[in-house]
């Protein structure tokens, strides 16, 4: 069985939920405190044993390439000023070898993955989406790769969501369960409220096999007129059994505003530097909210 060595990080979406911030800046560069979301994703891939990463970019995404490149002037200045901790942080992001390819038009996630087909060739590979950051003891992608090594089958990372949330996700229709692994009967992209076959939502982590490109090649449009990765995995599942794996860890949705704010708060609460002043500030805010509501 081939090892999973390569990963695709699609980052060519328009990021409309964060406009106007994303008019000239990639959504993937929005920071959770002081680190761009895409760096969390790259670090997870590396910690999971991935050797080669390709980021699918689009118009206005240059900042991503600059971020992962060497910053000679900045590094020299930091070294001269003796700011060694910052220097180490800045260098950390340029240590990984990353390749780039452009998706010329944002035709959907499936199309973005298809754009990287030549880079992948005939090997199993991972896909990581920047909208989901996962904090876990064993990196999320590492957990999925482990399941792939046991089954040689496509593995889709899932976590349960509430009945009201299923309409926002790709949902798995499970055919059987063993521990945290579900045999998949079918996938449904963003089912209408009350029609979801389960609460198992696809969470932006996949290990796929190269046969998927045959189905992406067909360029069939799905929900929203986009070429959907979920649809191609559903087609693949007809010829090669796919599994959904309920990974362990805390998953943060940074692809929409409230999730982004809550992630920032949670990460700040886990920081030695920020926890105390943040709690004090929050207490003051809650107090004045209470006063306004109760006393007027
Ligand atoms: P999203 O649905 O989150 O789209 O795509 P988006 O454009 O980034 O954000 P909104 O919904 O407009 O706010 C999920 C992932 O697929 C990538 C995105 O960059 C994101 O990582 N994607 C989506 C592409 O690379 N190309 C596309 O054509 C669409």
């Amino acid at each position: 069985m081939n090892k999973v060595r390569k990963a695709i990080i699609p980052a060519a979406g328009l990021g409309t939920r964060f406009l106007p911030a994303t008019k000239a800046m990639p959504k993937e560069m929005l920071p959770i405190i002081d680190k761009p979301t895409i760096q969390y994703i790259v670090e997870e891939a590396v910690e999971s044993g991935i050797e080669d990463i390709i980021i699918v970019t689009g118009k206005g995404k240059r900042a991503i390439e600059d971020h992962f490149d060497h910053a000679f002037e900045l590094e020299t200045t930091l070294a001269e000023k003796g700011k060694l901790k910052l220097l180490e942080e800045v260098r950390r992001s340029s240590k990984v070898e990353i390749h780039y390819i452009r998706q010329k038009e944002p035709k959907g996630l499936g199309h973005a993955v298809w754009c990287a087909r030549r880079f992948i060739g005939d090997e199993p590979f991972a896909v990581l989406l920047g909208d989901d950051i996962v904090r876990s003891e064993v990196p999320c992608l590492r957990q999925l790769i482990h399941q792939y090594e046991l089954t040689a089958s496509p593995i889709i990372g899932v976590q349960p969501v509430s009945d009201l949330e299923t309409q926002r996700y790709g949902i798995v229709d499970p055919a059987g369960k063993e521990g945290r692994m579900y045999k998949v009967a079918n996938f449904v992209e963003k089912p209408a409220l009350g029609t979801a076959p389960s609460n198992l939502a696809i969470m932006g982590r996949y290990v796929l096999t190269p046969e998927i490109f045959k189905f992406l090649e067909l360029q069939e449009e799905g929900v929203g007129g986009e070429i959907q990765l979920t649809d191609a995995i559903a087609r693949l599942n007809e010829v090669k059994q796919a599994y959904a794996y309920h990974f362990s860890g805390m998953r943060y949705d940074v692809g929409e505003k409230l999730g982004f704010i809550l992630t920032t708060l949670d990460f700040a609460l886990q920081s030695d530097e920020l926890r105390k002043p943040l709690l004090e500030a929050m207490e003051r805010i809650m107090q004045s909210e209470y006063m306004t509501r109760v006393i007027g």
Side-chain angles (χ1 to χ4, degrees):
M1 188 201 310
N2 277 331
K3 210 173 151 240
V4 181
R5 300 185 306 118
K6 296 180 180 174
I8 304 175
I9 303 179
L14 295 175
T16 49
R17 282 171 286 180
F18 285 94
L19 280 170
T22 47
K23 190 177 164 204
M25 185 181 67
K27 145 176 121 168
E28 296 75 13
M29 288 303 294
L30 294 174
I32 300 297
I33 305 184
D34 51 11
K35 199 193 281 190
T37 55
I38 196 161
Q39 194 176 333
Y40 290 94
I41 306 301
V42 166
E43 286 175 5
E44 181 190 321
V46 173
E47 284 160 18
S48 300
I50 293 295
E51 295 161 17
D52 271 321
I53 294 175
I54 189 163
I55 299 181
V56 184
T57 66
K59 243 195 178 78
K61 302 275 182 170
R62 260 222 78 91
I64 298 178
E65 290 179 50
D66 289 342
H67 179 73
F68 290 108
D69 200 357
H70 290 285
F72 184 72
E73 277 177 23
L74 175 64
E75 289 177 25
T76 312
T77 310
L78 290 174
E80 277 169 9
K81 294 195 167 159
K83 298 191 170 175
L84 300 184
K85 210 163 169 282
L86 273 180
L87 177 63
E88 197 187 307
E89 269 306 314
V90 166
R91 281 193 176 147
R92 215 150 83 100
S93 57
S94 59
K95 274 191 184 145
V96 196
E97 178 89 21
I98 299 181
H99 310 262
Y100 298 91
I101 188 152
R102 277 175 84 101
Q103 182 188 22
K104 297 210 170 72
E105 255 182 275
K107 288 187 184 171
L109 173 59
H111 182 259
V113 169
W114 181 76
C115 288
R117 67 198 177 284
R118 292 210 176 86
F119 171 80
I120 298 298
D122 198 24
E123 296 184 32
F125 64 98
V127 177
L128 300 99
L129 302 190
D131 283 353
D132 299 303
I133 293 179
V134 182
R135 273 198 163 168
S136 53
E137 214 168 289
V138 178
C140 176
L141 181 62
R142 179 68 241 163
Q143 298 177 43
L144 266 58
I145 291 176
H146 180 63
Q147 295 306 320
Y148 171 79
E149 286 165 353
L150 297 174
T151 59
S153 302
I155 312 284
I156 320 301
V158 295
Q159 279 204 337
V161 296
S162 73
D163 290 346
L164 286 176
E165 287 177 304
T166 48
Q167 57 184 334
R168 291 179 40 217
Y169 294 91
I171 299 290
V172 164
D173 183 1
K177 178 180 187 229
E178 218 186 300
R180 300 177 80 97
M181 274 283 260
Y182 296 82
K183 202 172 182 175
V184 178
N186 204 358
F187 296 91
V188 193
E189 185 60 35
K190 302 192 173 87
L193 195 63
T195 65
S198 81
N199 289 53
L200 296 170
I202 300 177
M203 290 301 179
R205 297 293 183 279
Y206 312 76
V207 174
L208 299 172
T209 51
E211 299 89 352
I212 190 84
F213 292 117
K214 274 191 269 170
F215 301 103
L216 288 172
E217 186 89 42
L218 302 173
Q219 313 252 332
E220 286 169 347
E221 290 177 5
V223 173
E226 294 193 338
I227 299 166
Q228 299 284 354
L229 182 62
T230 310
D231 293 345
I233 301 173
R235 299 283 295 270
L236 173 65
N237 190 40
E238 289 165 13
V239 293
K240 190 174 178 111
Q241 182 65 57
Y243 291 86
Y245 183 69
H246 175 185
F247 59 83
S248 36
M250 178 71 195
R251 169 250 169 192
Y252 297 90
D253 181 359
V254 296
E256 54 97 28
K257 285 179 208 165
L258 183 61
F260 191 89
I261 293 166
L262 293 175
T263 308
T264 305
L265 279 177
D266 207 62
F267 277 42
L269 286 171
Q270 292 176 51
S271 140
D272 292 341
E273 180 195 346
L274 297 170
R275 185 182 158 76
K276 192 163 172 281
L278 175 62
L279 280 174
E280 284 166 4
M282 279 162 72
E283 228 170 274
R284 283 196 300 275
I285 295 167
M286 299 292 280
Q287 194 70 28
S288 80
E289 270 284 307
Y290 177 76
M291 294 296 227
T292 324
R293 239 185 286 146
V294 177
I295 301 163

